[in-house]
Amino acid sequence: MKPDTLDDYRRRMLRVLVHIQRNLDRDLSLEELARIACFSPYHFHRIFRGMTGETLAVHIRRIRLERAALRLATTRRAILDIALEAGYESHEAFTRAFGAMTGLSPSRFRERRRLVSENGTARVRFDPEGGAEDFQPIDTGGSNMDARMETIGPLRVAFVRHTGPYDECGKAWGTLCAVLGPKGLLGPDTRFLGLCHDDPEVTPPEKIRYDACAVVDERFQPEGEVGAQVLPEGEYAMALHRGPYSGLAAAYAELCGQWVARQGREVASAPSLEFYRNDPNTTAPEDLLTEICVPLEPAE
């Protein structure tokens, strides 16, 4: 662990948390917050989740609801006005969200004059003064993560671009294998990987870009929907994820927001790679092995 580097990450994230607290009535874009923290916009959301334990959207929504709870308990303002300030377009939507957080309807909460409990897992609570100075990054064991730094590439790959939800990328893989198989370019040693252009936790599902790839040599030339590209050499932070693909988001968050921070390195603004060690069509979800690889800026 490098305490000075981890503290630098904490100070940069603190700037973001304070900015959110002081600008709850504005639209807060990922790009704006990443710029404030001086983190790569591409991977900022993963760093944020890794350090706070929440996605950016969940954090902002919770802080706005906590502010609403304070206003319900300490003012006589109309519930609808408070709901609109919290970003909800109707009393009903606000009531559902508020009830999910507190277990009470807004009116019942006001009757009891309750404040949101300070107990719980949230790292940052709403502060009327707009502060978050006591923030400490969450620690889920990232310092002990099964991770390493390694140089990858250059790699020549055949690929098929998929645009849309990740769970619908099977067609791209089918197209890729249907072209490479008859050419004798698939075998037990073929390396399969995904080139992930977008973070599915912040990109609308219909706009997610993903390249289904297989490493090939110069014998392969583009054909139909199957193109060829060379992934340049670069240094990556790598970790082996064991289990279903649904757990990849948490693994990325831990790698970016905890492990990399402790190595004194910066995540680069470039796509991540996923190497698939076994076949999801013949492997139980709990036995899937995926090597996630996050690009790093050159070491100083």
Side-chain angles (χ1 to χ4, degrees):
M1 178 187 297
K2 298 186 177 181
D4 55 336
T5 302
L6 189 61
D7 192 53
D8 176 61
Y9 268 57
R10 188 195 73 84
R11 288 194 299 269
R12 291 157 69 182
M13 191 58 68
L14 177 60
R15 293 201 298 267
V16 173
L17 295 171
V18 170
H19 184 79
I20 290 172
Q21 294 262 0
R22 294 177 178 175
N23 292 274
L24 287 175
D25 293 321
R26 288 183 47 227
D27 288 332
L28 296 164
S29 72
L30 180 75
E31 292 74 17
E32 174 188 358
L33 297 178
R35 185 170 60 252
I36 290 170
C38 297
F39 282 125
S40 155
Y42 190 92
H43 294 286
F44 170 72
H45 185 267
R46 289 166 173 164
I47 297 171
F48 185 94
R49 179 177 174 179
M51 297 187 75
T52 67
E54 297 178 300
T55 66
L56 184 60
V58 167
H59 177 82
I60 294 173
R61 182 166 60 247
R62 178 179 59 78
I63 294 296
R64 283 173 173 161
L65 283 171
E66 289 187 6
R67 181 182 67 171
L70 179 65
R71 290 175 175 176
L72 285 168
T74 60
T75 75
R76 296 179 177 273
R77 299 180 65 184
I79 292 177
L80 181 57
D81 289 343
I82 293 174
L84 294 173
E85 291 170 346
Y88 294 87
E89 296 182 355
S90 69
H91 188 290
E92 292 75 18
F94 175 64
T95 297
R96 286 193 298 270
F98 193 83
M101 183 180 77
T102 66
L104 295 170
S105 68
S107 57
R108 190 69 172 153
F109 184 95
R110 169 170 274 174
E111 289 173 4
R112 296 189 179 186
R113 284 289 193 269
R114 286 184 50 186
L115 294 179
V116 177
S117 171
E118 290 298 326
N119 297 322
T121 59
R123 310 298 291 180
V124 180
R125 315 301 306 207
F126 171 66
D127 181 349
E129 301 300 321
E133 282 73 12
D134 58 349
F135 167 69
Q136 292 297 325
I138 194 171
D139 186 353
T140 60
S143 57
N144 300 317
M145 194 177 191
D146 179 15
R148 67 190 187 280
M149 286 182 280
E150 186 173 305
T151 298
I152 299 175
L155 294 176
R156 187 172 190 270
V157 299
F159 75 99
V160 174
R161 169 65 57 87
H162 167 74
T163 302
Y166 270 121
D167 59 8
E168 297 177 4
C169 67
K171 181 180 177 182
W173 283 107
T175 301
L176 179 69
C177 292
V179 170
L180 298 185
K183 297 179 182 298
L185 298 176
L186 297 181
D189 297 325
T190 301
R191 300 173 70 189
F192 294 97
L193 65 144
L195 182 61
C196 308
H197 296 273
D198 300 293
D199 181 348
E201 292 202 309
V202 295
T203 303
E206 69 277 7
K207 295 183 179 180
I208 293 173
R209 297 164 300 158
Y210 170 88
D211 292 345
C213 306
V215 178
V216 294
D217 57 28
E218 295 298 333
R219 289 179 297 165
F220 172 76
Q221 295 300 314
E223 178 178 318
E225 295 182 59
V226 184
Q229 60 179 313
V230 175
L231 307 183
E233 178 179 298
E235 192 174 13
Y236 289 78
M238 306 173 63
L240 183 64
H241 171 70
R242 296 176 173 85
Y245 298 142
S246 59
L248 287 174
Y252 274 115
E254 188 172 355
L255 182 63
C256 294
Q258 296 194 41
W259 193 85
V260 172
R262 288 171 165 83
Q263 313 310 311
R265 299 298 297 273
E266 293 278 345
V267 176
S269 182
S272 55
L273 306 178
E274 295 175 357
F275 287 90
Y276 307 110
R277 297 278 194 87
N278 44 22
D279 184 350
N281 294 315
T282 59
T283 306
E286 62 271 18
D287 295 325
L288 290 171
L289 298 175
T290 308
E291 193 134 50
I292 59 174
C293 309
V294 175
L296 298 173
E297 293 287 359
E300 294 183 358

